[in-house]
Amino acid sequence: MILVETVAGMKALSRGWKRAGKSVGFVPTMGYLHEGHLSLVRESKTRADVTVVSIFVNPTQFGPNEDLDKYPRDLAKDSAYLERAGVDVLYHPPAAEVYPPGYRTYVEVEGLQDRLCGRSRPGHFRGVATVVLKLFETVGPDLAFFGAKDAQQVLIIERMARDLDLGVEVVTCPLVREPDGLALSSRNAYLSPEERQAALALSIGLRWAERAVAAGERDPAKVVAGIRAVLEAEPLARIDYVEAVDPGTLEPVAEMRGPVLVAVAAFVGPTRLIDNVRIAV
Ligand code: PAF
């Protein structure tokens, strides 16, 4: 595996692959990798000739009171993990390479960026869209792989790729859970054992919703209220939002019919976690 730490170095490699007619698969990450990231790597390796993983904790997607400084980092462990997984290139640029002094250009995906997580994390998706566009420009992928846990993020990136004619196929891979249901996330590392247990309320609430809809419930307000009740019964959890939305527009649905994205964000202790299920009726 080659470690690349400059924009110019990454672009030169990518140009070489293009000349050789090789397809490039790309997995953008912020590091502290887990099995969810590895599932994206495996998918990339089956679909592309070369696989690039980026590790970059992107400052522009963190709000002023968020966890940028304490976001978990372990480059040595991540790099060993990626080497074993057969990744070709680890792209790990310093912040000054991505945002040099005087940086002023940002991407906004109007409407989509302001719903769900965008409401409680203003500016978050502007930072995500901006860095992903820059990473796409540098890495030059044919395919880019994202996890379904970040459903709003994937939708925004797909929209950006289409609107800006990026020529990158955005591939959504299934959400990966622990055996007890907790959605994998680098932020799970923040949880104490009690919080780790309390965090199960998110997936328990969503599983309850799936069962309720399978049993015939069609009223999104009742589905949302049922999930809220599960979360409210957990003393360590504090709801940010619970919504049942159209997966293409993120607008609230009037009825549980067709595909519906049921999305949850909640604080467990100080840690904000998200989870979702896509229910097709
Ligand atoms: O999902 C993430 O880890 C990040 O939001 C991403 C896509 C790498 C952009 O910084």
Side-chain angles (χ1 to χ4, degrees):
M1 185 175 75
I2 308 171
L3 172 66
V4 180
E5 296 188 291
T6 62
V7 170
M10 188 64 244
K11 283 192 166 176
L13 268 180
S14 179
R15 273 196 302 271
W17 293 325
K18 292 272 132 79
R19 273 197 303 272
K22 292 192 169 165
S23 62
V24 179
F26 178 41
V27 181
T29 81
M30 297 207 299
Y32 218 72
L33 304 174
H34 51 66
E35 185 52 37
H37 297 111
L38 269 245
S39 71
L40 308 180
V41 167
R42 279 195 291 271
E43 189 63 19
S44 173
K45 284 180 60 65
T46 61
R47 297 194 47 186
D49 297 324
V50 291
T51 292
V52 180
V53 174
S54 65
I55 295 183
F56 179 64
V57 182
N58 173 35
T60 64
Q61 69 188 73
F62 288 80
N65 299 318
E66 292 186 349
D67 54 344
L68 172 63
D69 292 338
K70 72 173 179 101
Y71 195 84
R73 293 163 169 89
D74 191 341
L75 186 63
K77 192 165 158 217
D78 285 348
S79 139
Y81 209 34
L82 295 174
E83 180 102 54
R84 277 199 304 277
V87 166
D88 299 286
V89 171
L90 167 56
Y91 177 46
H92 179 246
E97 275 281 308
V98 181
Y99 300 112
Y103 190 88
R104 283 189 166 278
T105 307
Y106 294 90
V107 183
E108 308 237 359
V109 182
E110 293 179 351
L112 295 179
Q113 68 180 8
D114 305 317
R115 299 180 180 278
L116 302 178
C117 291
R119 233 176 260 134
S120 36
R121 303 187 70 189
H124 170 67
F125 289 112
R126 173 188 192 252
V128 169
T130 300
V131 82
V132 170
L133 177 63
K134 287 190 60 105
L135 292 168
F136 281 3
E137 279 301 300
T138 309
V139 173
D142 299 284
L143 301 142
F145 300 85
F146 295 88
K149 182 169 80 73
D150 300 304
Q152 182 173 16
Q153 167 169 287
V154 189
L155 186 67
I156 285 173
I157 291 166
E158 271 170 356
R159 187 74 259 165
M160 172 181 79
R162 274 206 298 277
D163 289 355
L164 299 181
D165 307 312
L166 299 183
V168 180
E169 184 186 338
V170 175
V171 182
T172 311
C173 299
L175 190 157
V176 181
R177 298 182 181 280
E178 299 277 10
D180 62 5
L182 182 69
L184 293 193
S185 163
S186 304
R187 288 191 169 94
N188 292 349
Y190 296 146
L191 302 171
S192 70
E194 296 73 32
E195 289 165 351
R196 165 71 182 70
Q197 191 58 30
L200 290 177
L202 280 82
S203 54
I204 292 172
L206 290 170
R207 273 209 307 272
W208 173 86
E210 284 178 314
R211 284 199 304 275
V213 176
E217 183 57 74
R218 295 290 173 267
D219 181 351
K222 291 209 175 117
V223 172
V224 165
I227 300 170
R228 294 188 74 96
V230 173
L231 284 157
E232 277 158 7
E234 174 45 69
L236 291 182
R238 180 167 57 82
I239 297 171
D240 180 359
Y241 66 76
V242 179
E243 290 197 44
V245 299
D246 179 308
T249 63
L250 305 183
E251 287 184 30
V253 292
E255 216 190 344
M256 299 301 293
R257 256 185 222 294
V260 178
L261 177 73
V262 183
V264 175
F267 288 89
V268 178
T271 306
R272 186 175 177 281
L273 299 175
I274 59 172
D275 198 348
N276 70 74
V277 288
R278 214 179 147 113
I279 301 181
V281 183

